[in-house]
Amino acid sequence: MKSFVLQNIIRKNILALKPYSCARDEFKGNEGVFLDANENPFGNLNRYPDPYQSKLKEKLSQLNDIAIEKIFAGNGSDEVIDLTFRIFCTPGKDKAMMFPPTYGMYKVCAEVNDVETIEIPLNEDFQINMPDLIPYLNDEYLKLIFICSPNNPTGNLIKSEDIEFILNHFLGIVFIDEAYIDFAGISSFRDKIEMYPNLIVSQTLSKSRALASARIGIAYASSEIIDYYNKVKPPYNVSGPNQKAAFEALTDGELFVNRKSAILEEKQRLQKELPKIPSVQKIYHSDTNFLLIKFNNADKIYSELIAMKIITRNRHSVINNCIRITVGTPEENTILLKALTELNN
Ligand SMILES: *Cc1c(COP(=O)(O)O)cnc(C)c1O
């Protein structure tokens, strides 16, 4: 079998790209009289931020025992996903694969970048339909396979044997979105990037680190792949205040652990209480901080909850009669349970 060669799957114009060299690339250091970047000399947020987020990456490197060169930080995972298309897919020619129902941004980004999508629906157990997938693995135009694990909106982990099979048999990029991995209680595929040169693992500080507003997405991959992200990204893609917020969130390990256990405890409570509500038909297994719930009439329940100012995510259009509900604070969950009990239909 042929082996993976990174240069073969990088877009030609990206291979040839000479990246923008910003003022902060040429001089590194914090001390001095800075007259190089046309910044305003007054104020608190007047200086451009570190383009490579060194402090943040040092923290991630220590926490996860991985070299800084194998870490990329983006303006949310959404930027990481978009850059992935721009690095690997030639518009109008290349293709990307995904397994719906899944996170909507893979398809939106594909369309924005004029990349054809191959969509293979998950099977009844919300796992990858391997027999349907296998014939596509040799398609020379297929550059990216997106695997969301745990998957949004179904909530379950994808079988690691299936992921490894794809990693071993596909000569393009396997992008594993682990936005919810901290809630899943298993180890990340990040630990396998040495083994698989075609693997990119994406994580985010938006969920388990409670930092959705700061927009911090992380990619882990070989240093060769990360070099391409650094070449293609806008120079100052993560703002100074957001780099700082991310560093602080990663430093406070105790707060992280306490919040996570509070969420998991509340999830258990919802899993225990929700089945007592007559309109609830089924609660799917969840490896995340949300629950996918089948109701007798999702559209109706959803609108009635909205009328009570309780906002959930109606997924009826993608999974029959299902609503996705995020685990909230104890007070919020009590309000939800009370409302659903009152609706009682
Ligand atoms: C919430 C979520 C993200 C997070 O995206 P950010 O841009 O980092 O906030 C990524 N992937 C999935 C599957 C998600 O559900």
mmCIF file of all heavy atoms in Angstrom, residues 59-92:
data_model
loop_
_atom_site.group_PDB
_atom_site.id
_atom_site.type_symbol
_atom_site.label_atom_id
_atom_site.label_comp_id
_atom_site.label_asym_id
_atom_site.label_seq_id
_atom_site.Cartn_x
_atom_site.Cartn_y
_atom_site.Cartn_z
ATOM 1 N N LYS A 59 1.578 26.512 28.090
ATOM 2 C CA LYS A 59 0.651 25.936 29.072
ATOM 3 C C LYS A 59 0.043 24.637 28.530
ATOM 4 O O LYS A 59 0.021 23.612 29.212
ATOM 5 C CB LYS A 59 -0.454 26.957 29.346
ATOM 6 C CG LYS A 59 -1.275 26.646 30.539
ATOM 7 C CD LYS A 59 -0.549 27.107 31.772
ATOM 8 C CE LYS A 59 -0.842 26.204 32.936
ATOM 9 N NZ LYS A 59 -0.004 26.530 34.087
ATOM 10 N N LEU A 60 -0.426 24.691 27.288
ATOM 11 C CA LEU A 60 -1.031 23.495 26.675
ATOM 12 C C LEU A 60 -0.009 22.374 26.552
ATOM 13 O O LEU A 60 -0.324 21.196 26.730
ATOM 14 C CB LEU A 60 -1.592 23.838 25.291
ATOM 15 C CG LEU A 60 -2.871 24.670 25.271
ATOM 16 C CD1 LEU A 60 -3.112 25.245 23.870
ATOM 17 C CD2 LEU A 60 -4.064 23.836 25.715
ATOM 18 N N SER A 61 1.223 22.778 26.245
ATOM 19 C CA SER A 61 2.303 21.818 26.094
ATOM 20 C C SER A 61 2.565 21.086 27.415
ATOM 21 O O SER A 61 2.678 19.858 27.460
ATOM 22 C CB SER A 61 3.542 22.566 25.604
ATOM 23 O OG SER A 61 4.689 21.792 25.788
ATOM 24 N N GLN A 62 2.611 21.854 28.510
ATOM 25 C CA GLN A 62 2.837 21.242 29.837
ATOM 26 C C GLN A 62 1.667 20.351 30.234
ATOM 27 O O GLN A 62 1.846 19.227 30.675
ATOM 28 C CB GLN A 62 2.940 22.328 30.915
ATOM 29 C CG GLN A 62 4.201 23.151 30.897
ATOM 30 C CD GLN A 62 4.041 24.414 31.761
ATOM 31 O OE1 GLN A 62 3.047 24.581 32.473
ATOM 32 N NE2 GLN A 62 5.015 25.312 31.670
ATOM 33 N N LEU A 63 0.461 20.882 30.055
ATOM 34 C CA LEU A 63 -0.725 20.138 30.502
ATOM 35 C C LEU A 63 -0.888 18.820 29.765
ATOM 36 O O LEU A 63 -1.328 17.824 30.332
ATOM 37 C CB LEU A 63 -1.991 20.968 30.264
ATOM 38 C CG LEU A 63 -2.309 22.084 31.243
ATOM 39 C CD1 LEU A 63 -3.522 22.871 30.762
ATOM 40 C CD2 LEU A 63 -2.577 21.505 32.637
ATOM 41 N N ASN A 64 -0.536 18.835 28.465
ATOM 42 C CA ASN A 64 -0.853 17.671 27.639
ATOM 43 C C ASN A 64 0.378 16.900 27.191
ATOM 44 O O ASN A 64 0.260 15.975 26.391
ATOM 45 C CB ASN A 64 -1.662 18.118 26.418
ATOM 46 C CG ASN A 64 -2.950 18.791 26.822
ATOM 47 O OD1 ASN A 64 -3.673 18.276 27.657
ATOM 48 N ND2 ASN A 64 -3.228 19.958 26.270
ATOM 49 N N ASP A 65 1.542 17.317 27.696
ATOM 50 C CA ASP A 65 2.780 16.630 27.394
ATOM 51 C C ASP A 65 2.981 16.484 25.879
ATOM 52 O O ASP A 65 3.123 15.378 25.348
ATOM 53 C CB ASP A 65 2.771 15.249 28.087
ATOM 54 C CG ASP A 65 4.144 14.616 28.065
ATOM 55 O OD1 ASP A 65 5.132 15.356 27.891
ATOM 56 O OD2 ASP A 65 4.228 13.374 28.179
ATOM 57 N N ILE A 66 2.980 17.610 25.212
ATOM 58 C CA ILE A 66 3.129 17.612 23.762
ATOM 59 C C ILE A 66 3.971 18.828 23.377
ATOM 60 O O ILE A 66 3.899 19.875 24.041
ATOM 61 C CB ILE A 66 1.736 17.639 23.086
ATOM 62 C CG1 ILE A 66 1.846 17.484 21.576
ATOM 63 C CG2 ILE A 66 0.952 18.887 23.435
ATOM 64 C CD1 ILE A 66 0.523 17.303 20.890
ATOM 65 N N ALA A 67 4.782 18.688 22.331
ATOM 66 C CA ALA A 67 5.682 19.776 21.941
ATOM 67 C C ALA A 67 4.895 20.971 21.401
ATOM 68 O O ALA A 67 3.868 20.802 20.740
ATOM 69 C CB ALA A 67 6.650 19.281 20.870
ATOM 70 N N ILE A 68 5.396 22.173 21.700
ATOM 71 C CA ILE A 68 4.742 23.417 21.256
ATOM 72 C C ILE A 68 4.563 23.435 19.735
ATOM 73 O O ILE A 68 3.558 23.931 19.236
ATOM 74 C CB ILE A 68 5.574 24.627 21.738
ATOM 75 C CG1 ILE A 68 5.414 24.760 23.252
ATOM 76 C CG2 ILE A 68 5.164 25.923 21.037
ATOM 77 C CD1 ILE A 68 6.242 25.851 23.882
ATOM 78 N N GLU A 69 5.516 22.874 18.999
ATOM 79 C CA GLU A 69 5.458 22.876 17.525
ATOM 80 C C GLU A 69 4.300 22.047 16.989
ATOM 81 O O GLU A 69 4.021 22.100 15.795
ATOM 82 C CB GLU A 69 6.752 22.318 16.905
ATOM 83 C CG GLU A 69 8.029 23.012 17.307
ATOM 84 C CD GLU A 69 8.465 22.699 18.729
ATOM 85 O OE1 GLU A 69 8.412 21.523 19.154
ATOM 86 O OE2 GLU A 69 8.823 23.655 19.449
ATOM 87 N N LYS A 70 3.694 21.268 17.857
ATOM 88 C CA LYS A 70 2.575 20.413 17.407
ATOM 89 C C LYS A 70 1.227 20.989 17.824
ATOM 90 O O LYS A 70 0.213 20.293 17.793
ATOM 91 C CB LYS A 70 2.756 18.996 17.954
ATOM 92 C CG LYS A 70 4.005 18.366 17.370
ATOM 93 C CD LYS A 70 4.352 17.038 17.968
ATOM 94 C CE LYS A 70 5.668 16.579 17.326
ATOM 95 N NZ LYS A 70 6.244 15.424 17.983
ATOM 96 N N ILE A 71 1.244 22.267 18.225
ATOM 97 C CA ILE A 71 0.010 22.910 18.702
ATOM 98 C C ILE A 71 -0.293 24.136 17.847
ATOM 99 O O ILE A 71 0.596 24.954 17.580
ATOM 100 C CB ILE A 71 0.163 23.366 20.173
ATOM 101 C CG1 ILE A 71 0.630 22.208 21.064
ATOM 102 C CG2 ILE A 71 -1.143 23.958 20.691
ATOM 103 C CD1 ILE A 71 0.962 22.625 22.498
ATOM 104 N N PHE A 72 -1.560 24.266 17.452
ATOM 105 C CA PHE A 72 -2.023 25.473 16.771
ATOM 106 C C PHE A 72 -3.202 26.038 17.549
ATOM 107 O O PHE A 72 -4.036 25.283 18.046
ATOM 108 C CB PHE A 72 -2.464 25.147 15.336
ATOM 109 C CG PHE A 72 -3.086 26.324 14.645
ATOM 110 C CD1 PHE A 72 -2.290 27.355 14.165
ATOM 111 C CD2 PHE A 72 -4.469 26.430 14.516
ATOM 112 C CE1 PHE A 72 -2.869 28.465 13.563
ATOM 113 C CE2 PHE A 72 -5.051 27.533 13.905
ATOM 114 C CZ PHE A 72 -4.250 28.561 13.419
ATOM 115 N N ALA A 73 -3.258 27.364 17.665
ATOM 116 C CA ALA A 73 -4.429 27.986 18.311
ATOM 117 C C ALA A 73 -5.129 28.875 17.305
ATOM 118 O O ALA A 73 -4.498 29.663 16.589
ATOM 119 C CB ALA A 73 -3.992 28.799 19.531
ATOM 120 N N GLY A 74 -6.439 28.729 17.240
ATOM 121 C CA GLY A 74 -7.234 29.516 16.299
ATOM 122 C C GLY A 74 -8.330 30.295 16.997
ATOM 123 O O GLY A 74 -8.581 30.119 18.188
ATOM 124 N N ASN A 75 -8.967 31.155 16.235
ATOM 125 C CA ASN A 75 -10.088 31.948 16.731
ATOM 126 C C ASN A 75 -11.337 31.040 16.774
ATOM 127 O O ASN A 75 -12.219 31.128 15.932
ATOM 128 C CB ASN A 75 -10.284 33.141 15.793
ATOM 129 C CG ASN A 75 -11.356 34.088 16.283
ATOM 130 O OD1 ASN A 75 -11.597 34.205 17.489
ATOM 131 N ND2 ASN A 75 -12.014 34.759 15.364
ATOM 132 N N GLY A 76 -11.344 30.136 17.747
ATOM 133 C CA GLY A 76 -12.386 29.106 17.821
ATOM 134 C C GLY A 76 -12.049 27.949 16.895
ATOM 135 O O GLY A 76 -11.241 28.086 15.973
ATOM 136 N N SER A 77 -12.686 26.807 17.152
ATOM 137 C CA SER A 77 -12.501 25.656 16.248
ATOM 138 C C SER A 77 -12.973 26.013 14.859
ATOM 139 O O SER A 77 -12.520 25.426 13.876
ATOM 140 C CB SER A 77 -13.335 24.456 16.683
ATOM 141 O OG SER A 77 -13.199 24.217 18.034
ATOM 142 N N ASP A 78 -13.909 26.928 14.791
ATOM 143 C CA ASP A 78 -14.439 27.293 13.481
ATOM 144 C C ASP A 78 -13.328 27.826 12.561
ATOM 145 O O ASP A 78 -13.316 27.527 11.379
ATOM 146 C CB ASP A 78 -15.570 28.316 13.639
ATOM 147 C CG ASP A 78 -16.784 27.702 14.338
ATOM 148 O OD1 ASP A 78 -16.868 26.451 14.385
ATOM 149 O OD2 ASP A 78 -17.635 28.452 14.831
ATOM 150 N N GLU A 79 -12.382 28.575 13.125
ATOM 151 C CA GLU A 79 -11.262 29.019 12.290
ATOM 152 C C GLU A 79 -10.362 27.837 11.926
ATOM 153 O O GLU A 79 -9.875 27.745 10.788
ATOM 154 C CB GLU A 79 -10.409 30.097 12.984
ATOM 155 C CG GLU A 79 -9.273 30.556 12.064
ATOM 156 C CD GLU A 79 -8.335 31.613 12.640
ATOM 157 O OE1 GLU A 79 -8.001 31.544 13.839
ATOM 158 O OE2 GLU A 79 -7.935 32.510 11.874
ATOM 159 N N VAL A 80 -10.165 26.933 12.880
ATOM 160 C CA VAL A 80 -9.328 25.763 12.605
ATOM 161 C C VAL A 80 -9.927 24.961 11.444
ATOM 162 O O VAL A 80 -9.228 24.535 10.524
ATOM 163 C CB VAL A 80 -9.182 24.886 13.880
ATOM 164 C CG1 VAL A 80 -8.426 23.604 13.563
ATOM 165 C CG2 VAL A 80 -8.501 25.663 15.000
ATOM 166 N N ILE A 81 -11.241 24.776 11.477
ATOM 167 C CA ILE A 81 -11.913 24.001 10.423
ATOM 168 C C ILE A 81 -11.765 24.715 9.074
ATOM 169 O O ILE A 81 -11.412 24.101 8.062
ATOM 170 C CB ILE A 81 -13.404 23.784 10.785
ATOM 171 C CG1 ILE A 81 -13.511 22.895 12.037
ATOM 172 C CG2 ILE A 81 -14.177 23.169 9.611
ATOM 173 C CD1 ILE A 81 -14.890 22.889 12.692
ATOM 174 N N ASP A 82 -12.003 26.003 9.059
ATOM 175 C CA ASP A 82 -11.908 26.750 7.798
ATOM 176 C C ASP A 82 -10.480 26.710 7.228
ATOM 177 O O ASP A 82 -10.281 26.489 6.036
ATOM 178 C CB ASP A 82 -12.354 28.198 8.019
ATOM 179 C CG ASP A 82 -12.405 28.958 6.708
ATOM 180 O OD1 ASP A 82 -13.154 28.523 5.813
ATOM 181 O OD2 ASP A 82 -11.668 29.954 6.555
ATOM 182 N N LEU A 83 -9.484 26.885 8.098
ATOM 183 C CA LEU A 83 -8.093 26.840 7.626
ATOM 184 C C LEU A 83 -7.761 25.457 7.066
ATOM 185 O O LEU A 83 -7.003 25.334 6.100
ATOM 186 C CB LEU A 83 -7.121 27.180 8.764
ATOM 187 C CG LEU A 83 -7.095 28.635 9.234
ATOM 188 C CD1 LEU A 83 -6.205 28.771 10.472
ATOM 189 C CD2 LEU A 83 -6.601 29.567 8.131
ATOM 190 N N THR A 84 -8.350 24.425 7.658
ATOM 191 C CA THR A 84 -8.090 23.068 7.195
ATOM 192 C C THR A 84 -8.525 22.924 5.730
ATOM 193 O O THR A 84 -7.791 22.364 4.908
ATOM 194 C CB THR A 84 -8.813 22.043 8.102
ATOM 195 O OG1 THR A 84 -8.457 22.331 9.453
ATOM 196 C CG2 THR A 84 -8.444 20.628 7.756
ATOM 197 N N PHE A 85 -9.703 23.457 5.415
ATOM 198 C CA PHE A 85 -10.140 23.437 4.015
ATOM 199 C C PHE A 85 -9.177 24.219 3.136
ATOM 200 O O PHE A 85 -8.816 23.791 2.040
ATOM 201 C CB PHE A 85 -11.553 24.030 3.876
ATOM 202 C CG PHE A 85 -12.621 23.040 4.210
ATOM 203 C CD1 PHE A 85 -13.241 23.049 5.453
ATOM 204 C CD2 PHE A 85 -13.000 22.081 3.281
ATOM 205 C CE1 PHE A 85 -14.216 22.115 5.759
ATOM 206 C CE2 PHE A 85 -13.974 21.142 3.576
ATOM 207 C CZ PHE A 85 -14.583 21.163 4.818
ATOM 208 N N ARG A 86 -8.748 25.386 3.628
ATOM 209 C CA ARG A 86 -7.912 26.232 2.775
ATOM 210 C C ARG A 86 -6.520 25.649 2.541
ATOM 211 O O ARG A 86 -5.903 25.899 1.512
ATOM 212 C CB ARG A 86 -7.837 27.637 3.373
ATOM 213 C CG ARG A 86 -9.234 28.271 3.345
ATOM 214 C CD ARG A 86 -9.143 29.748 3.316
ATOM 215 N NE ARG A 86 -9.334 30.290 4.640
ATOM 216 C CZ ARG A 86 -8.909 31.487 5.008
ATOM 217 N NH1 ARG A 86 -8.235 32.249 4.174
ATOM 218 N NH2 ARG A 86 -9.141 31.932 6.213
ATOM 219 N N ILE A 87 -6.046 24.853 3.508
ATOM 220 C CA ILE A 87 -4.710 24.261 3.354
ATOM 221 C C ILE A 87 -4.755 23.037 2.413
ATOM 222 O O ILE A 87 -3.863 22.846 1.600
ATOM 223 C CB ILE A 87 -4.146 23.844 4.733
ATOM 224 C CG1 ILE A 87 -3.861 25.078 5.587
ATOM 225 C CG2 ILE A 87 -2.888 22.987 4.578
ATOM 226 C CD1 ILE A 87 -3.640 24.780 7.058
ATOM 227 N N PHE A 88 -5.824 22.250 2.522
ATOM 228 C CA PHE A 88 -5.804 20.950 1.832
ATOM 229 C C PHE A 88 -6.675 20.847 0.585
ATOM 230 O O PHE A 88 -6.434 19.972 -0.238
ATOM 231 C CB PHE A 88 -6.196 19.836 2.816
ATOM 232 C CG PHE A 88 -5.217 19.668 3.955
ATOM 233 C CD1 PHE A 88 -5.486 20.157 5.220
ATOM 234 C CD2 PHE A 88 -3.999 19.037 3.729
ATOM 235 C CE1 PHE A 88 -4.576 20.017 6.263
ATOM 236 C CE2 PHE A 88 -3.072 18.892 4.758
ATOM 237 C CZ PHE A 88 -3.366 19.386 6.028
ATOM 238 N N CYS A 89 -7.690 21.687 0.455
ATOM 239 C CA CYS A 89 -8.656 21.453 -0.616
ATOM 240 C C CYS A 89 -8.628 22.522 -1.689
ATOM 241 O O CYS A 89 -8.806 23.713 -1.405
ATOM 242 C CB CYS A 89 -10.072 21.386 -0.043
ATOM 243 S SG CYS A 89 -10.304 19.989 1.058
ATOM 244 N N THR A 90 -8.413 22.098 -2.922
ATOM 245 C CA THR A 90 -8.510 23.012 -4.051
ATOM 246 C C THR A 90 -9.989 23.193 -4.389
ATOM 247 O O THR A 90 -10.682 22.201 -4.645
ATOM 248 C CB THR A 90 -7.755 22.440 -5.261
ATOM 249 O OG1 THR A 90 -6.392 22.228 -4.857
ATOM 250 C CG2 THR A 90 -7.808 23.389 -6.443
ATOM 251 N N PRO A 91 -10.472 24.457 -4.344
ATOM 252 C CA PRO A 91 -11.898 24.696 -4.610
ATOM 253 C C PRO A 91 -12.305 24.143 -5.974
ATOM 254 O O PRO A 91 -11.533 24.179 -6.934
ATOM 255 C CB PRO A 91 -12.018 26.222 -4.593
ATOM 256 C CG PRO A 91 -10.866 26.678 -3.754
ATOM 257 C CD PRO A 91 -9.758 25.699 -4.005
ATOM 258 N N GLY A 92 -13.517 23.619 -6.032
ATOM 259 C CA GLY A 92 -14.049 23.130 -7.300
ATOM 260 C C GLY A 92 -13.469 21.807 -7.740
ATOM 261 O O GLY A 92 -13.791 21.311 -8.825
#
